[in-house]
Amino acid sequence: MELVIKNLHAKIDNKEILKGVDLTIHTGEMHAIMGPNGTGKSTLSAVIMGNPKYIVTEGSITLDGEDLLSMSVDERSRKGIFLAMQYPNEITGITNSDFIKAAMQARLGENEHVSLFKFIKEMDKAVKDLKMNPDLPHRYINEGFSGGEKKRNEILQMKMLKPHFAILDEIDSGLDVDALKIVGENINGMQSDNFASLIITHYQRLLDYIDVSNVHIMVNGKIVKSGGKELITKVDNEGYDWIKVELGIVDESTNKKEAIILGSCAVNKGAK
Ligand code: ADP
Ligand code: MG
C-alpha cells in the first residue's frame, strides 16, 4: 500500500502551520520524522488522521490513489491508519480491552466477529511483550496511567489493531531507558510487508532499536531533507541549525537569518 502526501498546506485558527509537505510512504518501510519544536510534526499527524481542528487549504493525501482527506476519522482507521498521540486522552467508563475489542470489531464485516478466545490470547501476549502491568487492559483508558504507561498503552493498541500505517507521535517522551527499549523493540517487531510506520521523535535513542529505512527532517512546516539513518546521527550530534544554514531558512522565532548562522558557529559563540 502507498500513502502519498503532496504539497500539503494546513492551518489552525487561521495560522498556516503546514506549508507544502511532500511525503510518500510504502508499506514495508519504517520512516522517521525529526524536527525542532513547533515545526508542525504533530499537526501533520493530526491532519493525516483527520482531526477536524485543522483545515487543509491546499494539496492532497491519498491512500492507494483514494482521497484520504474526504474520509471520516473512522474510515481512515478502518483503512488501516493509526495514530499514537503525543498526549493520549483519558477516557473514563470504557476499559482498554473493551475499546480495543470494539475497534477490532469495527474492522470486520457484519457477519464476522472477533473471537473472544483469540482476543484474550493475543492481548495477554501483547501485554507480556510490552512488560505492562497485567491489570492495565482492564482499567479505564489511560485513567490514572503514568506518562510511560500511556505510551505503552498506545503501542498495545497498535499491536492489537495491526494497522498498515502507524503514526507514532513522540512515543518516546516520558519513557525511561528500559521502557524505551521495550517500546522500540515492539515497534521494530511490527515490520512486515503490510506495515509502515511514521515515527516522530527528537532523539536518536528510540531509533537505536528500530531499523529505520527513511529519515526526514521537518522545519517550518515542510520536509526539508530526506535520507537514511545517517541523518539521525547528524541531528543528534549537531541539532538542526546546519540545515537551516544549508537551506538559508529564516528562523521564524527570531526572524533573523544572521542569528542562526552566528548561533551555529562555535567560534563566534566562544568569542562572546
Ligand atoms: P511540533 O509537533 O512539531 O512540535 P505542532 O504541530 O504541535 O509542532 O505545532 C506547530 C505550530 O502550530 C506551533 O507553532 C504551535 O504553536 C502552533 N499551533 C498549534 N495549535 C495552535 C492553535 N490552536 N492556534 C495557533 N497556533 C497553534
Ligand atoms: Mg509535537
Side-chain angles (χ1 to χ4, degrees), residues 1-3 23-32 63 79-83 158 162-168 187-199 210-211 213-214:
M1 295 174 81
E2 183 185 53
L3 186 72
L23 178 64
T24 298
I25 304 174
H26 300 100
T27 44
E29 297 170 351
M30 303 287 258
H31 290 244
L63 181 64
K79 294 271 183 192
I81 313 273
F82 174 89
L83 170 63
M158 175 181 76
K162 301 180 183 66
H164 298 302
F165 292 91
I167 307 157
L168 309 173
I187 296 168
N188 204 44
M190 293 291 294
Q191 254 187 90
S192 87
D193 292 344
N194 284 316
F195 178 82
S197 64
L198 185 58
I199 303 157
I210 303 171
D211 299 316
S213 56
N214 307 64

Side-chain angles (χ1 to χ4, degrees), residues 47-261:
V47 171
I48 298 173
M49 198 66 233
N51 184 329
K53 280 199 300 194
Y54 298 87
I55 313 288
V56 173
T57 51
E58 216 184 314
S60 63
I61 308 181
T62 54
L63 181 64
D64 289 342
E66 262 189 286
D67 178 17
L68 194 77
L69 292 174
S70 66
M71 294 180 202
S72 67
V73 176
D74 271 19
E75 268 176 284
R76 296 181 202 203
S77 167
R78 282 197 298 272
K79 294 271 183 192
I81 313 273
F82 174 89
L83 170 63
M85 282 188 282
Q86 186 170 1
Y87 304 106
N89 294 318
E90 300 188 4
I91 306 171
T92 303
I94 306 170
T95 67
N96 260 316
S97 82
D98 281 347
F99 172 73
I100 293 172
K101 191 141 52 71
M104 286 169 74
Q105 185 63 49
R107 282 164 172 68
L108 299 175
E110 249 177 60
N111 299 315
E112 294 171 291
H113 293 282
V114 174
S115 144
L116 199 59
F117 176 72
K118 245 182 87 180
F119 173 77
I120 293 171
K121 234 177 88 177
E122 263 184 51
M123 187 82 153
D124 276 351
K125 182 174 182 311
V127 167
K128 281 201 188 94
D129 285 350
L130 289 164
K131 301 201 168 62
M132 284 172 89
N133 185 330
D135 77 349
L136 289 182
H138 311 294
R139 284 179 32 197
Y140 293 150
I141 298 171
N142 291 324
E143 200 187 64
F145 285 28
S146 72
E149 284 171 343
K150 284 184 185 173
K151 296 293 184 167
R152 270 186 224 209
N153 206 33
E154 298 289 299
I155 298 297
L156 177 73
Q157 290 172 20
M158 175 181 76
K159 282 170 76 81
M160 294 298 290
L161 295 176
K162 301 180 183 66
H164 298 302
F165 292 91
I167 307 157
L168 309 173
D169 192 2
E170 295 202 22
I171 198 73
D172 47 355
S173 65
L175 293 182
D176 61 37
V177 194
D178 295 331
L180 198 68
K181 180 168 190 280
I182 294 165
V183 163
E185 286 172 351
N186 274 276
I187 296 168
N188 204 44
M190 293 291 294
Q191 254 187 90
S192 87
D193 292 344
N194 284 316
F195 178 82
S197 64
L198 185 58
I199 303 157
I200 297 170
T201 181
H202 279 295
Y203 305 108
Q204 170 172 25
R205 264 244 164 95
L206 174 73
L207 302 175
D208 282 345
Y209 302 104
I210 303 171
D211 299 316
V212 175
S213 56
N214 307 64
V215 179
H216 311 278
I217 294 175
M218 192 166 175
V219 179
N220 291 347
K222 261 185 167 176
I223 287 173
V224 294
K225 205 166 182 73
S226 297
K229 275 200 125 163
E230 74 286 347
L231 278 182
I232 303 171
T233 322
K234 190 149 168 90
V235 165
D236 222 49
N237 292 335
E238 301 175 35
Y240 299 105
D241 282 355
W242 61 277
I243 297 174
K244 293 181 184 170
V245 173
E246 199 178 292
L247 301 173
I249 296 170
V250 177
D251 193 331
E252 287 185 338
S253 55
T254 60
N255 248 329
K256 276 194 209 124
K257 195 169 149 187
E258 231 179 349
I260 302 161
I261 296 168

